[in-house]
Amino acid sequence: MNHNYIVMYIYASLKSISVNWMYIVSNLMFPVSLMIVVGILSQGKLLPFALVGGLISITAMSGVNSIAYLASLRFDFLYRDLVVTTKTTKMDYMFAHLLGEFVWVVPSIAFYFILDVIYGLLTPYTFLMTLLLACMVSISSYSIAFWITSRIKHTRNAWPIGTVLSLLLITVSPTFYPYTYLPKYILDILTILPTTPAVVLAQGIFGLTPSLPIQWYMLPILFVETAAYLLIAVYTTQWVEK
Amino acid sequence: MIEARNLDKKYGNDTHAVRSISFTLDKKITSIIGQNGAGKTTLLRILSTQLLPTSGTASINGYDIIKDAARIREIAVSIPQESRPIYWFSPTILIMLYLGARGMGLRESRRAADKAIKKVGLWDSRDKMAAELSGGMKRKIFVAMALASDADIIFLDEPTTGLDPLSRIQIWSAIRSMKGQVIITTHYMEEAQALSDDVLMMNKGRVLSQGSVKELLKPFEGMVRVESKMRRRRSHKVGDTWISYVKKGKAESFVMEGDIIKSITLDDLFIKEGVNLES
Ligand SMILES: Nc1ncnc2c1ncn2[C@@H]1O[C@H](COP(=O)(O)OP(=O)(O)O)[C@@H](O)[C@H]1O
Ligand SMILES: [Mg+2]
């Protein structure tokens, strides 16, 4: 494991804050505007759901939106080619860039935690559980991004795929409303999207939905799913070209 | 030292980029010359463990390019032809990132990066965004990466293509100052002549010949190149020009007839082999 590259990439990411602050804003914009819409339409009733789901959305979006970034590193800058011939493995590369992206999510997560406090939703327990969920969603959505990047042929495809995926993860999953609105079989299907198990669990933890056994199935499901996406990303990505 | 045995690369079924070539490179600086599409990049990518050959073997300082790829990545640096700096990072950060990828720590890489940046003449721009730099300066960032890595083997794929003469000379001097064995590719003959102890000439995936510039030009000793609008004895047609080679003493008479006389360069090796330089 080349931790030096991981440290260096996070350092580089932090150093470039002056160029990347707009990225933080745009990442925050989408869930916040959805929260406002949902809040108004439900006359405030669904606001806590949008708060809990918004935080998870942000990590998911940051993950899948990095398809565009990873693709340009690969095709436009030929940066990946440069790194392939060093001791950095694809696993190191993936983690370095995952954490490099995560750096940009931290301010948004903090923003949501502040809203949670204002809304009286945050306890040490919900705080820690949310962090755990955010990490897992981040890893799984980033793995999906990594996997897709290894399969596209040019950058032009990357933007639309990123957008489609982030909409899927955010609006098709019951991120902004109670999962209990959905018929059971639809919920089962949606479990394939990592945001689904994460929000079902989060809604239960925050006491927004009645505590049902299903929410606890979701924890192992999320774990297994995250591991599966990660393994798929690592093992199916062609690193040395054939 | 680099040894290749029957190295072969096919892309899909149609493109045969490298055709079963064998060679040994053991001089300080080797230039691989050849036109666009000759297979230089493919060869470099295979040797630097970026691309698997279809068949054949090669070794670098005794390490097999497939079996011992991890070891090769420790001792060799490879700068791809079309790498461009991620434009919102500074030269310093980019070089440090690369050194980090090679396993160097934060402080050590800062020191090595500073040193290399001074050497290639980027000091005043070290903290600017790469987007603000000229083409030559961008290229120098990559040369500085290679310098700072202090590797035993350095592969540079067309390090000076498209650069102005001054930047090229600066890059050449950086290349000469590298401690390890350097392999560059180029399609500028004068670059190969200015830099290298050994030249590997490639055409259509094959090696045409190999040797020092002097050795390669031996058959042309005492000759000049005559470029004529008319067909001459034993001349080759390149575009609309007939090229032939004559003894220096005889050149006079051709000048009288309006032909152009030029001194011999590595280009002439290709022309003599019947390679159309314009294709
Ligand atoms: N990734 C690729 N896929 C298919 N064909 C390729 C690829 N890379 C190079 N080629 C082909 O292989 C041949 C050699 O290319 P290359 O090694 O880039 O030559 P050079 O570097 O000497 O210009 C060319 O015909 C080129 O079109
Ligand atoms: Mg090339």
Side-chain angles (χ1 to χ4, degrees):
Chain A
M1 186 112 189
N2 180 4
H3 60 270
N4 278 330
Y5 181 64
I6 298 174
V7 170
M8 203 77 83
Y9 196 83
I10 294 172
Y11 172 77
S13 229
L14 286 170
K15 274 277 213 177
S16 63
I17 187 146
S18 59
V19 240
N20 281 310
W21 63 271
M22 197 61 211
Y23 173 83
I24 300 175
V25 174
S26 84
N27 207 17
L28 200 54
M29 213 57 205
F30 193 73
V32 167
S33 45
L34 254 182
M35 175 170 77
I36 293 169
V37 173
V38 167
I40 290 173
L41 290 181
S42 68
Q43 291 167 331
K45 222 176 81 209
L46 294 183
L47 212 51
F49 288 90
L51 269 180
V52 169
L55 193 148
I56 287 166
S57 305
I58 278 177
T59 54
M61 272 179 71
S62 144
V64 290
N65 280 337
S66 51
I67 291 175
Y69 179 54
L70 285 168
S72 69
L73 287 187
R74 181 170 169 214
F75 299 110
D76 302 338
F77 299 112
L78 271 79
Y79 178 79
R80 217 191 73 162
D81 281 2
L82 191 69
V83 177
V84 167
T85 56
T86 66
K87 70 187 285 191
T88 301
T89 62
K90 60 182 164 186
M91 192 84 140
D92 300 330
Y93 185 80
M94 194 171 134
F95 270 104
H97 291 250
L98 166 66
L99 292 171
E101 290 296 305
F102 202 74
V103 164
W104 305 112
V105 188
V106 171
S108 307
I109 291 183
F111 174 80
Y112 267 91
F113 277 140
I114 291 168
L115 291 186
D116 285 346
V117 169
I118 294 171
Y119 228 80
L121 285 170
L122 210 62
T123 65
Y125 172 63
T126 55
F127 174 74
L128 287 176
M129 281 305 276
T130 311
L131 274 188
L132 176 72
L133 295 179
C135 285
M136 294 218 276
V137 169
S138 186
I139 293 172
S140 50
S141 57
Y142 193 84
S143 300
I144 294 171
F146 200 75
W147 180 75
I148 289 177
T149 310
S150 77
R151 258 156 193 70
I152 55 178
K153 293 252 183 292
H154 44 77
T155 320
R156 191 73 181 87
N157 276 344
W159 299 98
I161 293 175
T163 307
V164 168
L165 273 178
S166 58
L167 286 176
L168 272 179
L169 285 172
I170 292 167
T171 57
V172 177
S173 280
T175 320
F176 286 82
Y177 55 89
Y179 71 87
T180 46
Y181 284 12
L182 293 174
K184 175 80 169 59
Y185 76 95
I186 291 193
L187 192 66
D188 286 345
I189 296 170
L190 292 183
T191 313
I192 189 85
L193 301 170
T195 37
T196 306
V199 285
V200 170
L201 196 59
Q203 291 178 4
I205 289 165
F206 277 90
L208 305 180
T209 48
S211 184
L212 295 173
I214 180 171
Q215 86 188 49
W216 294 109
Y217 300 147
M218 291 298 174
L219 190 59
I221 288 177
L222 184 60
F223 265 116
V224 170
E225 218 165 75
T226 305
Y229 283 125
L230 183 62
L231 289 175
I232 290 172
V234 171
Y235 286 102
T236 65
T237 294
Q238 189 79 37
W239 186 245
V240 173
E241 281 174 49
K242 278 208 183 111
Chain B
M1 184 166 86
I2 297 173
E3 283 185 288
R5 291 289 159 260
N6 304 322
L7 214 52
D8 198 274
K9 180 71 197 178
K10 279 188 188 130
Y11 291 110
N13 288 327
D14 311 326
T15 315
H16 206 161
V18 171
R19 295 165 185 261
S20 188
I21 61 178
S22 304
F23 54 80
T24 301
L25 309 178
D26 54 4
K27 302 288 189 307
K28 179 71 181 50
I29 301 180
T30 301
S31 295
I32 302 177
I33 61 174
Q35 297 165 261
N36 292 330
K40 306 180 295 295
T41 296
T42 304
L43 177 60
L44 235 58
R45 280 160 57 86
I46 292 172
L47 292 177
S48 62
T49 74
Q50 234 181 95
L51 180 71
L52 294 172
T54 310
S55 62
T57 58
S59 68
I60 294 180
N61 288 3
Y63 297 118
D64 184 87
I65 54 161
I66 298 168
K67 269 206 334 274
D68 311 318
R71 292 309 304 271
I72 290 177
R73 288 171 186 173
E74 278 171 24
I75 58 166
V77 159
S78 175
I79 305 296
Q81 180 175 353
E82 278 154 10
S83 271
R84 270 178 284 154
I86 301 172
Y87 52 76
W88 55 91
F89 288 144
S90 66
T92 306
I93 292 287
L94 285 162
I95 297 166
M96 287 174 71
L97 265 178
Y98 181 68
L99 296 176
R102 296 190 63 79
M104 234 187 243
L106 206 63
R107 218 168 314 145
E108 197 189 351
S109 62
R110 157 76 69 178
R111 214 177 309 124
D114 279 353
K115 216 170 124 196
I117 282 172
K118 274 193 194 129
K119 218 159 178 177
V120 297
L122 279 178
W123 186 252
D124 294 334
S125 314
R126 66 190 184 281
D127 293 325
K128 282 189 188 153
M129 260 210 279
E132 296 167 16
L133 305 183
S134 69
M137 288 161 121
K138 285 184 185 135
R139 212 55 225 163
K140 282 181 196 163
I141 298 175
F142 290 96
V143 175
M145 287 177 186
L147 259 178
S149 308
D150 204 19
D152 296 338
I153 303 274
I154 301 114
F155 296 105
L156 302 170
D157 198 356
E158 300 202 16
T160 68
T161 297
L163 296 190
D164 61 275
L166 209 63
S167 304
R168 279 168 97 193
I169 291 172
Q170 284 171 323
I171 288 183
W172 290 351
S173 92
I175 290 174
R176 284 195 200 96
S177 75
M178 290 175 183
K179 288 199 206 90
Q181 183 184 353
V182 182
I183 292 91
I184 73 159
T185 69
T186 179
H187 55 249
Y188 298 126
M189 305 298 165
E190 79 270 21
E191 179 158 270
Q193 273 173 310
L195 268 182
S196 41
D197 317 297
D198 193 21
V199 176
L200 190 77
M201 291 174 50
M202 282 187 76
N203 185 45
K204 297 197 176 125
R206 292 210 166 81
V207 174
L208 282 182
S209 53
Q210 187 187 358
S212 68
V213 173
K214 221 171 146 191
E215 282 162 9
L216 290 175
L217 293 179
K218 192 106 186 158
F220 293 91
E221 220 169 68
M223 314 257 265
V224 288
R225 175 160 104 198
V226 178
E227 293 179 4
S228 173
K229 289 286 158 226
M230 287 170 291
R231 186 173 194 152
R232 297 278 176 207
R233 219 164 69 83
R234 278 196 276 166
S235 61
H236 307 263
K237 193 166 188 212
V238 178
D240 62 352
T241 304
W242 293 91
I243 293 179
S244 54
Y245 298 95
V246 301
K247 288 252 157 51
K248 268 193 190 121
K250 279 195 178 168
E252 202 74 25
S253 60
F254 290 95
V255 177
M256 304 296 280
E257 291 178 33
D259 289 358
I260 297 163
I261 307 296
K262 288 204 175 136
S263 35
I264 301 292
T265 70
L266 285 172
D267 284 327
D268 296 293
L269 291 168
F270 283 96
I271 295 170
K272 196 123 191 269
E273 296 283 346
V275 177
N276 189 340
L277 290 177
E278 282 166 304
S279 69

